[in-house]
C-alpha cells in the first residue's frame, strides 16, 4: 500500500485551482492560443526540470541547437539533449489513465532515469485509482508524483515531474503521444497536451527550491510556486493574443493571390520556421518562401533568431523574446 501524499492548506489549493481553471478556460476557447502558450510553457518547464537535475540549459540552448554551424560545448549539449527528451514528454503526455504502463515506460525513458522502468502492476493500479478519486487536478498530480517517488525510491525526480504533468493532462483532457524522434523546434509545434501546471518552473523561479513530494514543507513550497507560475501564465496570454490578432488581420487583409495568409496560419501552429520548412509546408519554391518570410518580418509577424546568412531561422516575436532575440 502507498501512504497518502502529504497535505497542505486547502486555501492555497483553492487559489491555484481557480487560477488554473481560468487559464484552462482561456486555452480551451482558442486552439491557436493554446498551442502557442503550451509551446512556450513546455520549453520553460523542460529547461527548469533539467536545471533541477544539475543540467543547466536555457531556451536558446534547447531550441537553437539544430541551427548551429559550429560544435557546441559537450556539457551544454548533454543538458540540451536531456531537456529535449523532457520536452517530448511535455509535448505529448499520453493517456496516463488508459495506457498507464505504456505511458510510464515512455516517461521513464524520456527522463534521466537509467535502466528498465521500475513500475509494476501495483503502481499502475494505484495511479489509475489516484486519477479516478482525485478531488482536483493538483491533488491528483501530487498523488501520482508521490506514487512514482515511492516506486523509484526517489532516484528519478524528473520522472515524478513528468508524471505530475501527465496527471494534470489526464485530469483536464487526453491525447495520443508523439512517436519517434523530433528536434526541439518541432516539439513546440501544436503541443497535444491539455496541462497547465509547470512544477519544475515553480521551483526554479526566484531561486532554486527542493523537489520532494514526500515532505509537507516542500509540497507547500511547490504549491506556492505553482500559484506564481499560473499567474505568470495568465499574464502571458495578452502578448500571445496580440500576435494572433495581428496574424489573423494580416491574413484577412492580404491580396487574394497572396500566400501570406497561409504563412500566418502556419505560424500559429509552428512558431519557429526556416525557409525550407515554409517551402515544404506551403508547397512553394525556396525563393517564394523567402519572399513570404521577408513580408512577414516587415509586418512584425517574424523575427530572425540566427545571426548568420546561411541556415537561417525565424520565430514569432513572443518566442524570439524567450530566446533573447526580441
Amino acid at each position: 500500500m502507498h501512504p497518502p501524499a502529504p497535505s497542505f492548506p486547502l486555501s492555497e489549493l483553492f487559489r491555484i485551482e481557480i487560477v488554473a481553471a481560468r487559464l484552462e478556460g482561456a486555452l480551451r476557447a482558442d486552439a491557436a492560443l493554446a498551442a502557442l502558450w503550451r509551446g512556450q510553457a513546455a520549453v520553460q518547464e523542460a529547461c527548469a526540470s533539467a536545471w533541477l537535475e544539475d543540467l543547466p540549459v536555457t531556451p536558446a540552448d534547447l531550441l537553437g541547437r539544430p541551427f548551429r554551424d559550429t560544435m557546441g560545448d559537450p556539457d551544454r549539449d548533454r543538458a540540451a539533449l536531456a531537456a529535449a527528451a523532457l520536452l517530448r514528454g511535455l509535448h505529448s503526455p499520453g493517456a496516463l489513465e488508459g495506457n498507464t504502463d505504456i505511458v510510464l515506460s515512455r516517461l521513464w525513458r524520456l527522463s534521466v532515469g537509467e535502466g528498465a522502468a521500475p513500475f509494476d502492476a501495483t503502481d499502475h493500479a494505484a495511479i489509475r485509482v489516484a486519477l479516478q478519486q482525485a478531488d482536483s487536478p493538483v491533488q491528483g498530480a501530487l498523488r501520482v508524483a508521490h506514487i512514482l517517488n515511492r516506486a523509484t525510491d526517489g532516484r528519478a525526480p524528473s520522472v515524478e515531474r513528468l508524471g505530475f504533468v501527465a496527471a494534470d493532462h489526464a485530469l483536464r483532457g487526453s491525447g495520443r503521444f508523439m512517436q519517434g524522434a523530433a528536434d526541439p523546434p518541432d516539439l513546440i509545434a501544436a503541443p497535444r497536451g491539455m496541462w497547465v501546471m509547470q512544477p519544475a518552473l515553480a521551483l526554479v523561479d526566484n531561486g532554486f527550491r527542493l523537489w520532494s513530494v514526500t515532505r509537507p514543507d516542500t509540497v507547500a513550497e511547490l504549491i506556492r510556486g505553482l500559484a506564481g507560475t499560473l499567474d505568470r501564465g495568465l499574464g502571458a496570454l495578452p502578448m500571445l493574443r496580440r500576435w494572433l490578432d495581428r496574424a489573423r488581420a494580416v491574413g484577412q487583409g492580404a491580396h487574394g493571390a497572396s500566400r501570406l495568409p497561409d504563412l500566418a496560419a502556419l505560424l500559429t501552429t509552428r512558431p519557429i520556421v526556416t525557409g525550407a520548412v515554409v517551402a515544404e509546408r506551403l508547397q512553394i519554391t525556396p525563393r517564394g518562401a523567402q519572399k513570404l518570410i521577408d513580408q512577414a518580418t516587415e509586418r512584425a509577424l517574424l523575427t530572425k533568431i540566427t545571426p548568420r546568412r546561411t541556415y537561417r531561422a525565424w520565430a514569432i516575436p513572443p518566442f524570439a523574446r524567450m530566446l533573447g532575440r526580441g
Side-chain angles (χ1 to χ4, degrees):
M1 288 291 292
H2 294 285
S7 59
F8 44 85
L10 288 179
S11 60
E12 296 185 13
L13 171 67
F14 292 152
R15 166 169 156 63
I16 63 173
E17 288 291 13
I18 289 170
V19 180
R22 290 176 58 199
L23 180 55
E24 182 185 2
L27 300 181
R28 282 183 178 275
D30 190 331
L33 180 67
L36 294 178
W37 185 88
R38 285 199 177 91
Q40 279 196 315
V43 170
Q44 295 165 346
E45 177 67 12
C47 290
S49 196
W51 271 88
L52 288 172
E53 300 299 320
D54 200 24
L55 294 168
V57 59
T58 67
D61 294 331
L62 175 59
L63 295 178
R65 190 170 180 270
F67 307 122
R68 290 190 327 218
D69 59 356
T70 59
M71 293 292 291
D73 176 82
D75 289 335
R76 291 177 67 182
D77 279 353
R78 182 168 67 92
L81 288 171
L86 297 171
L87 185 60
R88 188 168 290 112
L90 295 164
H91 175 280
S92 306
L96 184 61
E97 71 287 9
N99 300 318
T100 313
D101 55 341
I102 296 173
V103 172
L104 288 183
S105 294
R106 176 175 177 268
L107 296 185
W108 177 260
R109 292 194 302 272
L110 295 177
S111 75
V112 297
E114 296 180 355
F119 313 115
D120 58 25
T122 301
D123 301 315
H124 303 158
I127 285 175
R128 286 192 289 268
V129 169
L131 293 175
Q132 291 167 1
Q133 297 182 351
D135 292 326
S136 74
V138 173
Q139 287 174 301
L142 281 169
R143 188 72 182 86
V144 167
H146 193 253
I147 293 168
L148 299 182
N149 174 272
R150 295 280 298 181
T152 61
D153 294 323
R155 293 181 292 110
S158 60
V159 81
E160 297 174 34
R161 294 188 289 273
L162 282 178
F164 185 105
V165 174
D168 189 42
H169 163 71
L171 291 165
R172 299 181 195 275
S174 187
R176 299 182 62 82
F177 50 74
M178 173 181 284
Q179 299 284 352
D183 282 331
D186 297 320
L187 292 170
I188 59 171
R192 302 175 190 177
M194 295 294 290
W195 50 267
V196 298
M197 299 293 175
Q198 297 169 274
L201 187 65
L203 295 179
V204 304
D205 270 356
N206 301 315
F208 278 62
R209 292 179 288 273
L210 178 68
W211 167 269
S212 174
V213 292
T214 62
R215 290 169 37 186
D217 59 331
T218 53
V219 171
E221 285 281 354
L222 174 61
I223 294 297
R224 283 191 287 272
L226 286 170
T229 60
L230 286 166
D231 282 338
R232 280 187 286 280
L234 275 175
L237 295 183
M239 180 176 65
L240 293 172
R241 282 197 183 101
R242 282 195 295 273
W243 182 87
L244 278 170
D245 290 344
R246 191 183 317 126
R248 288 161 176 162
V250 165
Q252 293 168 358
H255 186 272
S258 173
R259 299 299 304 274
L260 195 57
D262 298 324
L263 176 59
L266 174 64
L267 294 176
T268 63
T269 58
R270 194 176 185 94
I272 296 179
V273 295
T274 62
V277 166
V278 172
E280 177 188 356
R281 293 303 179 94
L282 300 188
Q283 294 293 290
I284 57 178
T285 66
R287 183 176 180 180
Q290 188 57 56
K291 287 179 65 176
L292 279 181
I293 289 172
D294 291 343
Q295 292 172 24
T297 303
E298 291 172 3
R299 289 165 171 78
L301 291 182
L302 281 173
T303 298
K304 188 178 177 185
I305 59 172
T306 50
R308 59 186 182 279
R309 292 181 177 274
T310 58
Y311 201 21
R312 294 173 293 174
W314 290 260
I316 69 172
F319 279 76
R321 282 190 283 272
M322 183 174 67
L323 299 174
R325 299 293 184 182

